[in-house]
Amino acid sequence: MDSIIVTGNGPLSGSIPIAGAKNACLTLMPATLLSDEPLTLTNAPRLSDIRTMSELLGSLGAEVSTLQDGQVLALSSHNLTSQRADYDIVRKMRASILVLGPLLARFGNAEVSLPGGCAIGARPVDLHLKALEAMGAELELREGYVHARAPGGLKGGIVDFPLVSVGATENALMAATLAKGMTVLNNAAREPEIVDLARCLRKMGAQIDGEGTGTITIQGVERLNGATHPVVTDRIELGTYMLAPAICGGEVELLGGRIELLAAFCEKLDAAGISVEETPNGLKVARKNGRIRAVDVATEPFPGFPTDLQAQFMALMCTADGTSVLEEKIFENRFMHAPELMRMGAKIDVQGGHATVTGVERLKGAPVMATDLRASVSLILAGLAAEGETIVNRVYHLDRGYERVEEKLGNVGARIERVKGV
Ligand code: UD1
């Protein structure tokens, strides 16, 4: 298994291009299942999660070709051969559940294994299932699979989500495009990835209103056509790399970055004493002299502070002046990076959904273990700020969500290298 070695070495400077969003691409790809015409996605990120989704769609008979070094995905579902998503692929990635809504909407039946994915809490799929039931689906859970049927097709319905779920909103939105009549999604997720999906579906001929608000209305249509769509910028990759100069000093421009993707996060950076400026090409982030200020953070659905940046922000708080409290409100058990950061000298006390971080002057390099996708990159960020060498093991998690991390950080002056494992 590969490892990444980071050696803390002071200020960074230069620019980092931000890729298309993994989480947007993972919901745009299954949208191909809704139509027999081609769907082309540009600005796709080159990640193992994207390859897993390609494999899953391929197992259903969809054609997926990668062009332009993986940045363009050409998808076609004109000749699907199966409506069954097997455990062997689904277990690798929770987003696999996103094939359920489209398959059911187009074919009236689907079998999808219950998913796996990052080990961050229980992460059930009950909200996905309830939304489809509200559209007339008949569901049965047998032998680890969801068996879904909609004889005569899905029908529009009112879906009241008891809590905000990104994935359940995406599944319901896709399914509703081909349901008969009108569907209303109340308490829908408002993430930029949902807005991106709605825009792509609209290009395919779907009738959707209200994306980006808490209520999305969809008027079902008979069929959808093909489209070409650029994947929105990855706001989590953006926030992660914004933290690199914040944590070890310097000035870095994030190409393609926009404040509106991360307004709550930018406010916290400002409070910590980091400057964020819009430029014609993106965002420029600079750390002034002196220590970072300690800032409290609570994760929330969009437009709040993203849970997917909590681990990375904790790495920043480890060397802040003072004590900060980080509250995780989306997922239980999402502080697995804390004990690893403590191996590097951080002072963190985790009690339930709260982590209290008391900043230290300097972290010290150590061998650490990546436990999930965002935790892995938080350890790399901490390594940039640490004295000596940090060896991050089990980086396969990282490769699920960050393309060419060594190259991107190396180009702005970080000392970072990958050591190939056996
Ligand atoms: C997506 C993102 C993930 C991000 C998360 C929250 C993708 C591929 N992944 O995950 O990176 O961390 O949004 O921003 O886009 N829940 C239920 N029942 C359900 C579904 C969810 O109880 O049926 C709970 C979850 O356990 C969690 C909360 O709802 O506590 C929010 O999860 P959700 O928004 O669904 O996350 P994902 O779509 O899985």
Side-chain angles (χ1 to χ4, degrees), residues 23 94 123-128 163 165-167 307-308 330-331:
N23 287 351
R94 182 181 158 77
R123 303 186 83 180
V125 291
D126 55 320
L127 302 177
H128 298 243
L163 55 94
S165 162
V166 175
T307 173
D308 285 351
I330 308 291
F331 294 113

Side-chain angles (χ1 to χ4, degrees), residues 87-110:
Y87 174 70
D88 273 351
I89 306 179
V90 174
R91 70 183 167 81
K92 294 188 198 163
M93 188 179 67
R94 182 181 158 77
S96 307
I97 191 75
L98 294 172
V99 302
L100 178 60
L103 282 177
L104 187 58
R106 179 148 160 233
F107 299 99
N109 70 79

Side-chain angles (χ1 to χ4, degrees), residues 22-24 26-27 49 94-95 98 120-129 163-168 170 189 191 193 235-236 300-302 306-308 329-332 334 373-374:
K22 167 181 87 78
N23 287 351
L26 287 177
T27 186
D49 268 7
R94 182 181 158 77
L98 294 172
I120 48 174
R123 303 186 83 180
V125 291
D126 55 320
L127 302 177
H128 298 243
L129 305 186
L163 55 94
V164 177
S165 162
V166 175
E170 292 165 345
E191 270 64 4
E193 293 76 26
R235 65 199 164 95
I236 305 302
E300 307 268 4
F302 192 86
T307 173
D308 285 351
K329 289 164 73 174
I330 308 291
F331 294 113
E332 56 201 85
R334 203 178 196 182
L373 170 53
R374 307 304 171 186

Side-chain angles (χ1 to χ4, degrees), residues 18-344:
I18 304 301
K22 167 181 87 78
N23 287 351
C25 201
L26 287 177
T27 186
L28 291 164
M29 292 173 76
T32 178
L33 300 171
L34 291 163
S35 170
D36 60 2
E37 291 184 20
L39 173 64
T40 304
L41 301 175
T42 60
N43 196 36
R46 293 156 291 184
L47 301 168
S48 67
D49 268 7
I50 301 301
R51 288 191 288 276
T52 304
M53 183 57 87
S54 300
E55 197 190 334
L56 174 58
L57 294 172
S59 76
L60 304 172
E63 290 158 24
V64 185
S65 327
T66 49
L67 312 166
Q68 293 186 22
D69 194 23
Q71 289 184 93
V72 174
L73 299 173
L75 305 124
S76 169
S77 299
H78 73 283
N79 204 7
L80 288 196
T81 48
S82 161
Q83 281 87 50
R84 180 181 161 95
D86 267 323
Y87 174 70
D88 273 351
I89 306 179
V90 174
R91 70 183 167 81
K92 294 188 198 163
M93 188 179 67
R94 182 181 158 77
S96 307
I97 191 75
L98 294 172
V99 302
L100 178 60
L103 282 177
L104 187 58
R106 179 148 160 233
F107 299 99
N109 70 79
E111 283 173 41
V112 177
S113 167
L114 291 166
C118 277
I120 48 174
R123 303 186 83 180
V125 291
D126 55 320
L127 302 177
H128 298 243
L129 305 186
K130 281 195 183 114
L132 296 173
E133 270 176 336
M135 289 180 228
E138 295 165 11
L139 304 174
E140 231 187 296
L141 297 184
R142 258 188 289 128
E143 289 144 9
Y145 280 75
V146 181
H147 297 254
R149 279 165 34 88
L154 290 173
K155 296 179 188 62
I158 309 276
V159 181
D160 291 308
F161 289 111
L163 55 94
V164 177
S165 162
V166 175
T169 302
E170 292 165 345
N171 234 335
L173 176 57
M174 286 191 279
T177 58
L178 291 180
K180 283 192 195 75
M182 194 170 84
T183 299
V184 181
L185 308 179
N186 289 319
N187 202 22
R190 294 185 276 166
E191 270 64 4
E193 293 76 26
I194 306 270
V195 174
D196 203 36
L197 173 63
R199 285 188 183 149
C200 176
L201 292 170
R202 203 178 284 125
K203 283 183 201 163
M204 294 170 73
Q207 292 187 16
I208 302 170
D209 267 319
E211 74 274 14
T213 76
T215 305
I216 306 178
T217 308
I218 307 107
Q219 184 66 48
V221 294
E222 280 279 317
R223 61 180 297 281
L224 294 180
N225 43 258
T228 296
H229 182 79
V231 180
V232 67
T233 299
D234 195 319
R235 65 199 164 95
I236 305 302
E237 190 195 28
L238 170 66
T240 301
Y241 289 129
M242 286 171 80
L243 285 167
I247 217 161
C248 68
E251 186 175 283
V252 172
E253 188 175 20
L254 295 312
L255 304 176
R258 284 179 284 135
I259 284 183
E260 76 206 41
L261 293 170
L262 279 178
F265 172 80
C266 289
E267 273 171 34
K268 294 295 176 184
L269 280 188
D270 182 56
I274 305 297
S275 118
V276 179
E277 235 180 80
E278 276 178 320
T279 67
N281 299 321
L283 294 178
K284 192 172 273 181
V285 176
R287 171 160 169 191
K288 301 162 206 129
N289 292 331
R291 275 179 78 182
I292 299 290
R293 288 192 288 273
V295 179
D296 295 343
V297 158
T299 62
E300 307 268 4
F302 192 86
F305 190 100
T307 173
D308 285 351
L309 285 171
Q310 177 260 108
Q312 300 89 313
F313 200 81
M314 185 184 286
L316 177 70
M317 288 298 104
C318 287
T319 54
D321 187 11
T323 298
S324 54
V325 177
L326 277 64
E327 186 182 358
E328 175 54 58
K329 289 164 73 174
I330 308 291
F331 294 113
E332 56 201 85
N333 196 19
R334 203 178 196 182
F335 286 131
M336 286 170 309
H337 41 285
E340 300 300 314
L341 290 167
M342 287 158 78
R343 293 172 52 76
M344 301 175 68

